[in-house]
Amino acid sequence: MSYKFIDDKGTFIFKNPQQIAYLYFPLTNREGTILSCISPSLAGDIKRDNETFLTPPATIEDIQHSLFYRREFFLKLLYPHQDIIRLSLPAESILEAGLLYHKIKKIYKLFTAEIINFVPYDLNVEVMWIKIKNIKNNLRFIPTFFLPLYGRGEKNLRDHRHVSSLLNRIELLKYGIILKPTMIFDEKGHRINKTSYFVLGYKDRKQPPIGQFPNLLAFCGEKGNLLYPEAVFGKINPGKKKKPEFDGKEVCASFRFSEEKLKGKVNYIIIMGITDNEKEIKETFVKLDSLDKVNDYLNRTKLYWQNLTDKLHFDFKNKNYNNWLKWVILQPTLRKLFGCSFLPHFDYGKGGRGWRDLWQDALNLLIIEPDKTKKLIIHNFEGVRIDGSNATIITKEGNFIPDRNRITRVWMDHGIWPYLTLKEYLHYTKDIDILLKETTYFRDAQLKRAKELDNSWEEKEPILKTKNNEIYRGSILEHILVENLVQFFNVGEHNFIKLENGDWNDGLDMGSWRGESVTFSCMYAYNLKDICSILETLKNKRETVELFQELTLLLDRLTKPINYDNYKEKQAILEEYLEKTKHTIKGKKEKIKISDLIRDLREKSFWLTNHIRKNAWLKSNFFNGYYDNKGRRVEGKIKGKVRMMLPSQVFAIMSGIVTKKNINKIWQSIKKYLKDPKLNGFRLNTDFEDIYMDLGRAFGFVYGDKENGAFFNHMVVMLAYALYSQGFIKEGKEVLSSIYNMATSLKAKIYPMIPEYFNSQGRGLYFYLTGSASWYTHTLLKQVLGVNWQWGDLIIEPKLTKDDFFSNTITVEFNFLKRRFKLNYIKEKEANIFKIKYAYYNDKKILPSHGKILLPRKDIEKYPFDTLQNLNIYLKD
């Protein structure tokens, strides 16, 4: 690894990080109301959302190559010699970063500079703390701080950039500057601006700047530029009072501090923030107006993030792995706060999280923040449409948006994820009543799974209503059934579920006409079967459930059974349902016997499972996962060359569609065609060696990047999970280890984390905001360590190998039933794969049953809340 951990809290150091291109680090508070990133060159941006950037929006190339995106601090040396040093430029340096702060120490001949950046955990500002310390000789220098201000939305970068700058109005304060544009420029409807962007600064004992250069022209001068600004390299004097010509320009926060005759050290504090309430500026400054207060906030911020990540704690007795896991555990929270838009690689979004992100991150949040999960799950179901599709983006405020780019489209896999998360919640809490909790459906202009548009729709209240114009509410169970039943009938000519505008692989976006996804047909077959197990438990409490009348059309086994082998019959039933629910529904509900519902779902799952087994298995010894837009098989031997895609195998294994015998064959094919012999990782697909306009944009990407053959960690970790879940422990371990090995390789050139993917050079790209982190901790906890819950009971069934142990013990700590659990896995002698010998629960000996340790909920609840529950598990060969 390129870095070195220096404690057990995830803190690491990285020598001369500016020698590695494209590094960046996230900074935010607990609510995500300030979202920052910073590179070793102090570049990045600071924003609240897509409409509210304090500094100019920065892409990955901007932070590497442009001076316009840097938090800059100049020292104009006067003695012992004349020179100008800018702290953003490369120098001998050591980066220290932790949860969640960024500190870089730069070493010069005459002095050292230490720059700390962090976002206080409960404030809407980023703080920058510059410490200059003399090494030898007396120093004299003139310090100048510079930060470009933007004060508007991302779209104005290329839409009326100059015109929108004419709206800028500034106020010069004793300690800094406020930028408050008069209005928000939007040709759809201009609005009065209520947001203030501010930067404040002081030296040591609250000494203010002696003057300012409040816009780019004042800072750079007529002859200068950002490389040689006249404010630093020339003789322009700073202003103390506002002049009329300061308004209507591109603004910057540039503070001139008094000349320093340094014999020891000096500190400068810069406070950068966004607010809709100008009173907050003064209140925030009072909280940070001394070095002691800043230091106290820094320590409290570290403690906040430490406590959050400690809610799920792994100890493998290996410093590097334990600390790396700290960052992986944090990643789902970062994605919850940043969404998928606000770090430099993620420049395609406009804020919010995607549908899959919501549900998959909840797997981790259930452990980290269990008290918030129920409310989150219920709210998320409000994004489901009556046609089984859903809004694709949810904002930080919890509002649903049909599509980030206002495109009418549908991803066919979206109906899979809500049930998987709901199932996890049910077993964790035993809250079966959530199935009957009623909530609304999403309604917008998109109809019939994006086949039609309602041009009369007005976006006032995106909620489905009945024909009587009353808001309709259906149970959570009903929402789950809608998502999965609709898809069973939504098939193409090969009788697999239509690909529509893509599935998990967003790059397969050009097969909407005749494309089909066998890959996720597997998972819908799994869901239909597994929902029955949930219904069996519900049946113990009640005989019937209520469903809206139109939905019974899709329960054909209870009314008028059709021939599932005839795809046209299935399409006809779906068309009838979509027409009847196109604009609204009657609002009438029918009682359905749960036993009848189970029978219907099982028949559907049984048919779909057999259809996949019969028609998707290839002579090449793996599954074909797709048909393209001309109805052609995608995988297998095509024109003399084998084409193989990893998702096709992952979900066939995970769903239980494939037999144990054929899993062995698939595994050998994966190792033959998808495992890279040099990097020892697993690629997303083989090289198709051509653009594939009948399948998707992915095949226009260079092979080895993004969705075309990269080492895509989300799918790799799901492969590991799938293999473990089917008892292929050594194989699962090999796959899971490949992620850690690649992430910590010198070739990765990243900080500790799981990136979205590694390219063909082994370099990690798209930092922090990836669902692979949730699935990694999910796999580690539930499969490797075997920590599972079943209707409120705790079940332990580890799948540990000798390679999982760095010493004789592995420890995991987590919260369950409002109690803290500490599990110790103890090996008494070596073994290839370990099984449980016996266990002690709070000094009570327990013997395994069928290889598992069971702790019934009633036994756990005998102990008081918030007490530590110790479970020592002794392992044997």
Side-chain angles (χ1 to χ4, degrees):
M1 52 182 61
S2 304
Y3 46 84
K4 179 182 178 181
F5 290 110
I6 59 174
D7 59 19
D8 60 356
K9 299 177 180 179
T11 310
F12 63 94
I13 58 173
F14 196 127
K15 291 185 178 180
N16 298 315
Q18 283 177 287
Q19 294 180 4
I20 302 293
Y22 303 119
L23 289 173
Y24 57 85
F25 186 84
L27 297 170
T28 187
N29 57 24
R30 63 186 179 188
E31 300 296 334
T33 50
I34 282 288
L35 303 168
S36 296
C37 66
I38 187 167
S39 75
S41 60
L42 309 179
D45 56 21
I46 305 169
K47 60 274 176 188
R48 183 172 69 191
D49 52 43
N50 204 51
E51 303 301 320
T52 319
F53 279 78
L54 172 68
T55 61
T59 68
I60 189 64
E61 298 298 337
D62 293 329
I63 67 165
Q64 180 63 27
H65 302 296
S66 175
L67 296 175
F68 192 58
Y69 298 88
R70 299 186 180 185
R71 305 155 177 85
E72 189 63 88
F73 203 86
F74 296 88
L75 297 180
K76 187 172 185 177
L77 298 185
L78 304 176
Y79 182 85
H81 62 263
Q82 294 186 354
D83 195 2
I84 292 176
I85 295 175
R86 53 198 311 163
L87 299 187
S88 74
L89 294 181
E92 183 183 349
S93 60
I94 298 176
L95 169 69
E96 176 186 313
L99 304 170
L100 239 180
Y101 72 95
H102 182 278
K103 177 169 72 175
I104 189 160
K105 183 176 181 180
K106 300 202 167 191
I107 303 166
Y108 302 91
K109 290 182 179 179
L110 301 175
F111 66 92
T112 63
E114 186 176 280
I115 307 108
I116 302 172
N117 289 75
F118 72 101
V119 173
Y121 72 101
D122 64 349
L123 297 180
N124 296 321
V125 296
E126 179 188 320
V127 176
M128 185 173 182
W129 184 354
I130 304 106
K131 304 178 184 181
I132 308 296
K133 185 178 181 181
N134 199 353
I135 294 177
K136 56 184 178 179
N137 301 320
N138 293 335
L139 276 182
R140 275 202 306 127
F141 59 83
I142 298 173
T144 305
F145 170 76
F146 169 77
L147 180 76
L149 302 188
Y150 184 68
R152 48 205 190 268
E154 167 268 339
K155 65 181 179 181
N156 289 127
L157 277 176
R158 292 292 299 167
D159 183 4
H160 294 90
R161 174 68 183 265
H162 174 257
V163 170
S164 58
S165 75
L166 301 177
L167 304 172
N168 287 344
R169 301 293 186 273
I170 65 168
E171 180 182 355
L172 298 187
L173 307 174
K174 178 180 179 181
Y175 287 98
I177 185 171
I178 298 174
L179 164 62
K180 188 175 183 180
T182 56
M183 64 173 65
I184 297 170
F185 188 95
D186 185 348
E187 291 183 302
K188 294 178 181 178
H190 306 301
R191 307 184 301 281
I192 292 293
N193 172 58
K194 298 179 181 179
T195 303
S196 296
Y197 306 84
F198 63 94
V199 182
L200 310 171
Y202 64 88
K203 180 178 82 169
D204 277 341
R205 297 179 180 270
K206 204 176 171 182
Q207 296 145 270
I210 63 171
Q212 301 188 48
F213 307 94
N215 60 45
L216 289 180
L217 184 59
F219 178 69
C220 293
E222 294 287 351
K223 299 178 182 179
N225 51 40
L226 289 178
L227 186 59
Y228 298 107
E230 290 191 61
V232 179
F233 288 82
K235 297 182 180 180
I236 298 177
N237 293 318
K240 293 184 178 181
K241 295 182 179 181
K242 179 182 174 181
K243 297 178 182 179
E245 60 265 31
F246 288 166
D247 285 331
K249 305 287 195 305
E250 290 288 359
V251 179
C252 62
S254 181
F255 306 153
R256 168 68 51 75
F257 292 96
S258 60
E259 181 180 321
E260 185 66 32
K261 298 177 181 179
L262 187 64
K263 294 182 179 180
K265 61 182 178 180
V266 64
N267 297 270
Y268 300 91
I269 300 294
I270 307 295
I271 302 164
M272 305 162 277
I274 304 170
T275 182
D276 291 336
N277 179 3
E278 287 197 23
K279 291 182 180 179
E280 186 183 341
I281 299 174
K282 184 177 180 180
E283 292 169 356
T284 300
F285 186 67
V286 169
K287 294 177 181 178
L288 295 165
D289 65 356
S290 74
L291 299 180
D292 286 342
K293 290 180 181 179
V294 171
N295 191 56
D296 179 62
Y297 247 115
L298 175 59
N299 289 329
R300 284 194 284 152
T301 296
K302 293 177 183 178
L303 183 62
Y304 171 79
W305 293 109
Q306 193 63 48
N307 289 340
L308 182 72
T309 55
D310 277 347
K311 290 182 178 180
L312 176 59
H313 176 71
F314 296 100
D315 183 4
F316 281 81
K317 304 300 183 288
N318 180 279
K319 184 177 181 179
N320 287 337
Y321 190 50
N322 289 349
N323 278 294
W324 181 80
L325 284 171
K326 283 273 186 190
W327 291 97
V328 176
I329 291 168
L330 178 64
Q331 283 184 244
T333 297
L334 290 175
R335 187 159 76 162
K336 175 187 173 184
L337 299 175
F338 277 86
C340 292
S341 306
F342 294 125
L343 288 178
H345 275 117
F346 300 83
D347 55 3
Y348 49 80
K350 296 178 174 64
R353 287 181 290 162
W355 185 253
R356 294 183 210 104
D357 311 334
L358 283 180
W359 297 100
Q360 295 182 77
D361 289 349
L363 295 173
N364 179 274
L365 296 173
L366 182 62
I367 307 298
I368 302 297
E369 301 177 283
D371 294 338
K372 297 181 181 180
T373 307
K374 180 175 183 177
K375 183 178 179 181
L376 177 71
I377 286 174
I378 293 171
H379 178 70
N380 288 352
F381 274 108
E382 294 175 11
V384 176
R385 293 190 185 93
I386 204 71
D387 64 3
S389 67
N390 49 269
T392 61
I393 298 293
I394 185 170
T395 67
K396 193 179 298 181
E397 296 75 26
N399 300 318
F400 290 100
I401 298 174
D403 187 274
R404 63 163 51 98
N405 292 315
R406 296 182 178 272
I407 299 172
T408 304
R409 54 183 171 178
V410 168
W411 281 268
M412 64 80 61
D413 68 302
H414 279 184
I416 293 296
W417 311 107
Y419 172 69
L420 297 180
T421 300
L422 177 65
K423 174 188 174 183
E424 190 73 11
Y425 170 82
L426 287 169
H427 284 301
Y428 186 86
T429 63
K430 200 181 178 181
D431 180 18
I432 191 73
D433 292 333
I434 194 176
L435 292 172
L436 306 176
K437 180 74 176 177
E438 293 190 340
T439 193
T440 56
Y441 286 86
F442 186 71
R443 167 72 159 93
D444 63 343
Q446 187 168 301
L447 305 173
K448 298 176 68 173
R449 299 190 68 84
K451 296 297 186 296
E452 295 182 17
L453 277 176
D454 183 353
N455 293 319
S456 65
W457 176 256
E458 295 183 5
E459 295 184 22
K460 293 181 179 178
E461 193 174 28
I463 297 175
L464 179 71
K465 295 184 178 180
T466 67
K467 294 186 183 299
N468 295 328
N469 203 34
E470 296 174 345
I471 293 175
Y472 177 76
R473 288 180 170 83
S475 67
I476 297 297
L477 172 63
E478 184 184 89
H479 284 67
I480 286 290
L481 292 173
V482 168
E483 290 179 299
N484 288 273
L485 285 170
V486 164
Q487 286 296 73
F488 177 78
F489 293 95
N490 186 26
V491 295
E493 64 203 75
H494 299 92
N495 222 335
F496 298 110
I497 299 171
K498 290 182 178 179
L499 179 58
E500 297 179 307
N501 302 108
D503 60 10
W504 171 90
N505 189 337
D506 294 338
L508 306 184
D509 58 349
M510 300 173 75
S512 61
W513 181 34
R514 294 175 66 187
E516 297 171 61
S517 174
V518 184
T519 302
F520 280 93
S521 295
C522 292
M523 289 306 295
Y524 281 107
Y526 170 84
N527 275 12
L528 289 166
K529 178 182 178 181
D530 205 72
I531 291 169
C532 295
S533 66
I534 302 297
L535 289 173
E536 290 285 4
T537 301
L538 182 62
K539 193 172 67 171
N540 295 329
K541 296 189 69 172
R542 58 191 299 129
E543 291 184 0
T544 63
V545 291
E546 288 189 334
L547 306 175
F548 65 89
Q549 195 174 76
E550 293 87 342
L551 187 58
T552 59
L553 277 170
L554 305 183
L555 298 172
D556 66 296
R557 282 337 193 219
L558 312 186
T559 53
K560 186 179 178 182
I562 67 165
N563 178 12
Y564 291 157
D565 291 330
N566 188 331
Y567 74 92
K568 291 185 177 180
E569 286 191 43
K570 292 165 82 173
Q571 290 175 342
I573 267 199
L574 180 60
E575 178 63 21
E576 183 181 357
Y577 170 81
L578 294 177
E579 274 295 320
K580 287 188 174 183
T581 59
K582 185 162 67 172
H583 296 287
T584 185
I585 60 173
K586 295 177 183 176
K588 295 181 180 178
K589 296 184 178 181
E590 288 190 15
K591 287 187 177 182
I592 304 294
K593 286 185 177 181
I594 295 175
S595 57
D596 289 340
L597 184 56
I598 291 170
R599 175 169 58 85
D600 182 277
L601 299 181
R602 278 184 176 154
E603 284 197 38
K604 287 177 168 63
S605 176
F606 181 79
W607 181 89
L608 186 51
T609 297
N610 286 333
H611 180 67
I612 295 168
R613 287 173 174 169
K614 181 179 178 181
N615 295 286
W617 183 254
L618 301 172
K619 293 180 181 179
S620 303
N621 284 330
F622 56 84
F623 273 95
N624 169 53
Y626 296 95
Y627 290 88
D628 68 17
N629 214 31
K630 291 183 177 176
R632 299 171 299 191
R633 172 172 56 85
V634 169
E635 294 178 76
K637 200 166 187 179
I638 309 290
K639 296 180 180 179
K641 185 175 178 63
V642 172
R643 291 178 173 178
M644 184 181 186
M645 302 176 76
L646 188 58
S648 311
Q649 320 316 317
V650 168
F651 294 108
I653 297 169
M654 187 183 292
S655 63
I657 294 287
V658 61
T659 63
K660 301 282 186 182
K661 179 181 178 181
N662 283 346
I663 291 176
N664 270 316
K665 294 179 179 178
I666 288 175
W667 173 244
Q668 294 306 317
S669 296
I670 288 173
K671 294 191 74 171
K672 180 178 180 180
Y673 297 114
L674 298 179
K675 186 173 183 182
D676 186 275
K678 294 182 179 179
L679 296 173
N680 288 317
F682 297 85
R683 292 185 179 272
L684 194 60
N685 54 271
T686 56
D687 189 356
F688 284 27
E689 297 182 349
D690 201 0
I691 295 172
Y692 203 157
M693 296 297 287
D694 290 313
L695 190 56
R697 66 176 189 244
F699 300 96
F701 301 154
V702 61
Y703 183 70
D705 265 272
K706 264 291 190 178
E707 292 97 342
N708 187 18
F711 303 88
F712 217 95
N713 288 314
H714 198 174
M715 192 51 58
V716 175
V717 72
M718 286 195 283
L719 171 63
Y721 184 94
L723 288 166
Y724 274 118
S725 69
Q726 300 300 326
F728 287 75
I729 298 171
K730 290 181 180 179
E731 295 81 358
K733 173 62 179 175
E734 181 177 342
V735 175
L736 199 65
S737 294
S738 74
I739 296 175
Y740 176 68
N741 292 337
M742 291 191 74
T744 54
S745 165
L746 291 176
K747 294 178 180 179
K749 299 180 180 180
I750 58 175
Y751 298 145
M753 75 180 95
I754 299 179
E756 183 180 83
Y757 73 91
F758 302 101
N759 66 14
S760 289
Q761 293 76 51
R763 187 180 204 120
L765 290 96
Y766 290 74
F767 301 168
Y768 299 105
L769 312 180
T770 165
S772 52
S774 290
W775 271 90
Y776 191 96
T777 54
H778 187 62
T779 302
L780 197 59
L781 183 66
K782 300 211 67 180
Q783 293 296 337
V784 179
L785 298 179
V787 178
N788 288 281
W789 9 87
Q790 187 170 26
W791 298 113
D793 298 336
L794 184 62
I795 297 174
I796 310 299
E797 187 183 9
K799 297 170 183 174
L800 290 161
T801 72
K802 63 179 182 180
D803 294 331
D804 291 306
F805 284 87
F806 295 95
S807 73
N808 291 328
T809 307
I810 296 171
T811 301
V812 62
E813 295 183 43
F814 57 89
N815 297 321
F816 181 57
L817 297 178
K818 297 184 178 180
R819 292 158 181 85
R820 184 70 172 173
F821 275 80
K822 183 177 182 180
L823 276 59
N824 294 305
Y825 299 81
I826 303 161
K827 67 170 185 177
E828 296 183 318
K829 61 180 182 178
E830 291 297 332
N832 289 322
I833 297 176
F834 291 95
K835 295 181 180 179
I836 298 175
K837 185 177 181 181
Y838 58 89
Y840 278 95
Y841 174 51
N842 293 338
D843 297 326
K844 177 184 176 182
K845 189 173 183 178
I846 304 174
L847 296 177
S849 175
H850 303 290
K852 305 175 186 178
I853 293 292
L854 171 65
L855 294 182
R857 179 176 181 142
K858 60 181 177 59
D859 290 349
I860 296 171
E861 290 179 336
K862 292 176 183 178
Y863 296 92
F865 289 148
D866 300 321
T867 55
L868 182 64
Q869 306 295 299
N870 288 293
L871 181 61
N872 293 323
I873 304 156
Y874 294 86
L875 304 171
K876 64 178 182 179
D877 188 346

